[in-house]
Coordinates of all heavy atoms in Angstrom, one line a residue:
L1 N 12.5 114.5 110.5 CA 13.8 114.9 109.9 C 14.4 116.1 110.5 O 15.6 116.1 110.8 CB 13.6 115.1 108.4 CG 13.4 113.8 107.6 CD1 13.1 114.2 106.1 CD2 14.7 112.9 107.6
R2 N 13.6 117.1 110.8 CA 14.2 118.4 111.4 C 14.7 118.1 112.8 O 15.8 118.6 113.1 CB 13.2 119.5 111.4 CG 12.0 119.4 112.3 CD 10.9 120.3 111.9 NE 11.2 121.7 112.3 CZ 10.8 122.3 113.4 NH1 10.1 121.6 114.3 NH2 11.1 123.5 113.7
V3 N 14.1 117.3 113.6 CA 14.6 116.9 114.9 C 15.9 116.1 114.8 O 16.8 116.3 115.5 CB 13.5 116.2 115.7 CG1 14.1 115.7 117.1 CG2 12.3 117.1 116.0
L4 N 15.8 115.1 113.9 CA 17.0 114.3 113.7 C 18.2 115.1 113.2 O 19.3 114.9 113.8 CB 16.7 113.2 112.6 CG 17.8 112.2 112.3 CD1 18.2 111.4 113.5 CD2 17.4 111.3 111.1
I5 N 18.0 116.0 112.3 CA 19.1 116.8 111.8 C 19.7 117.6 113.0 O 21.0 117.8 113.1 CB 18.7 117.7 110.7 CG1 18.4 116.9 109.4 CG2 19.7 118.8 110.3 CD1 17.7 117.6 108.3
C6 N 18.9 118.2 113.8 CA 19.3 119.0 114.9 C 20.1 118.2 115.9 O 21.1 118.6 116.5 CB 18.2 119.7 115.6 SG 17.5 121.1 114.6
R7 N 19.6 116.9 116.2 CA 20.4 116.1 117.1 C 21.8 115.8 116.6 O 22.7 115.7 117.4 CB 19.6 114.8 117.3 CG 18.4 114.9 118.2 CD 17.7 113.6 118.5 NE 16.5 113.8 119.2 CZ 15.6 112.8 119.3 NH1 15.7 111.7 118.6 NH2 14.5 113.0 120.1
V8 N 21.9 115.5 115.3 CA 23.2 115.3 114.7 C 24.1 116.5 114.8 O 25.3 116.3 115.1 CB 23.0 114.8 113.2 CG1 24.4 114.8 112.5 CG2 22.3 113.5 113.1
R9 N 23.5 117.6 114.7 CA 24.3 118.9 114.8 C 24.7 119.2 116.2 O 25.7 120.0 116.4 CB 23.5 120.0 114.1 CG 23.3 119.8 112.6 CD 22.5 120.9 112.0 NE 23.2 122.2 112.2 CZ 22.6 123.4 111.9 NH1 21.3 123.4 111.5 NH2 23.2 124.5 112.1
G10 N 24.0 118.8 117.2 CA 24.4 119.0 118.6 C 23.4 119.8 119.4 O 22.4 120.2 119.0
A11 N 23.9 120.1 120.6 CA 23.0 120.7 121.6 C 22.6 122.1 121.2 O 21.4 122.5 121.5 CB 23.7 120.8 123.0
K12 N 23.5 122.9 120.6 CA 23.1 124.2 120.2 C 22.0 124.2 119.2 O 21.1 125.1 119.2 CB 24.3 125.0 119.7 CG 25.3 125.4 120.8 CD 26.4 126.2 120.2 CE 27.4 126.7 121.3 NZ 28.5 127.5 120.8
A13 N 22.0 123.3 118.3 CA 21.0 123.2 117.2 C 19.6 122.8 117.9 O 18.6 123.3 117.5 CB 21.4 122.1 116.2
I14 N 19.7 121.9 118.8 CA 18.4 121.5 119.6 C 17.9 122.7 120.3 O 16.7 122.9 120.3 CB 18.7 120.3 120.5 CG1 18.9 119.0 119.8 CG2 17.6 120.2 121.5 CD1 17.7 118.5 119.1
E15 N 18.7 123.5 120.9 CA 18.3 124.6 121.7 C 17.7 125.7 120.7 O 16.6 126.3 121.0 CB 19.5 125.3 122.4 CG 19.1 126.5 123.3 CD 20.3 127.0 124.0 OE1 21.3 126.4 124.0 OE2 20.1 128.1 124.6
A16 N 18.3 125.9 119.6 CA 17.7 126.8 118.6 C 16.4 126.3 118.1 O 15.4 127.1 117.9 CB 18.7 127.0 117.4
L17 N 16.2 125.0 117.9 CA 15.0 124.4 117.4 C 13.9 124.6 118.5 O 12.7 125.0 118.1 CB 15.2 122.9 117.1 CG 13.9 122.1 116.8 CD1 13.3 122.6 115.5 CD2 14.2 120.6 116.7
A18 N 14.3 124.4 119.7 CA 13.3 124.6 120.8 C 12.8 126.0 120.9 O 11.6 126.3 121.1 CB 13.9 124.2 122.1
Q19 N 13.7 127.0 120.7 CA 13.3 128.4 120.7 C 12.4 128.7 119.6 O 11.4 129.5 119.8 CB 14.6 129.3 120.7 CG 15.4 129.2 121.9 CD 16.8 130.0 121.8 OE1 17.1 130.4 120.7 NE2 17.5 130.1 122.9
R20 N 12.7 128.2 118.4 CA 11.8 128.5 117.2 C 10.4 127.9 117.5 O 9.4 128.5 117.2 CB 12.4 127.9 116.0 CG 13.6 128.7 115.5 CD 13.9 128.3 114.0 NE 14.2 126.9 113.9 CZ 15.4 126.3 114.0 NH1 16.5 127.1 114.3 NH2 15.6 125.0 113.8
D21 N 10.4 126.7 118.0 CA 9.1 126.0 118.2 C 8.3 126.6 119.4 O 7.1 126.7 119.4 CB 9.3 124.5 118.5 CG 9.6 123.8 117.2 OD1 9.5 124.4 116.1 OD2 9.9 122.5 117.3
R22 N 9.1 127.2 120.3 CA 8.4 127.9 121.5 C 7.7 129.1 120.9 O 6.6 129.5 121.4 CB 9.4 128.3 122.5 CG 8.8 128.9 123.8 CD 7.8 128.0 124.4 NE 7.6 128.3 125.8 CZ 6.7 127.7 126.6 NH1 6.0 126.6 126.1 NH2 6.5 128.0 127.8
L23 N 8.3 129.8 120.0 CA 7.6 131.0 119.4 C 6.3 130.6 118.7 O 5.3 131.3 118.8 CB 8.6 131.6 118.4 CG 8.0 132.8 117.6 CD1 7.6 133.9 118.6 CD2 9.0 133.3 116.6
R24 N 6.3 129.4 118.1 CA 5.0 128.9 117.5 C 4.0 128.7 118.5 O 2.8 128.9 118.3 CB 5.3 127.7 116.6 CG 6.2 127.9 115.4 CD 6.2 126.7 114.5 NE 7.0 126.9 113.3 CZ 8.3 126.6 113.2 NH1 9.0 126.1 114.3 NH2 8.9 126.8 112.1
Q25 N 4.4 128.1 119.6 CA 3.5 127.9 120.7 C 2.9 129.2 121.3 O 1.7 129.2 121.6 CB 4.2 127.1 121.9 CG 4.6 125.7 121.5 CD 5.3 125.0 122.6 OE1 5.8 125.6 123.5 NE2 5.5 123.7 122.4
R26 N 3.7 130.2 121.4 CA 3.3 131.5 121.9 C 2.2 132.1 120.9 O 1.2 132.6 121.3 CB 4.4 132.4 122.1 CG 4.0 133.8 122.7 CD 5.2 134.7 122.9 NE 6.3 134.0 123.7 CZ 7.5 133.7 123.3 NH1 7.9 134.0 122.1 NH2 8.3 133.2 124.2

């Protein structure tokens, strides 16, 4: 759901999601 919502919202939302998830990876 969180990925789907970000895709609907557009590229900026996907980029923000990727940044948050990258922090979790770190």
Side-chain angles (χ1 to χ4, degrees):
L1 285 174
R2 68 196 288 264
V3 174
L4 180 62
I5 291 170
C6 288
R7 283 184 186 162
V8 171
R9 294 176 63 188
K12 289 186 177 180
I14 287 289
E15 184 178 351
L17 175 64
Q19 290 174 353
R20 291 195 298 272
D21 284 355
R22 185 58 163 179
L23 178 60
R24 293 188 178 94
Q25 291 176 347
R26 187 180 301 116

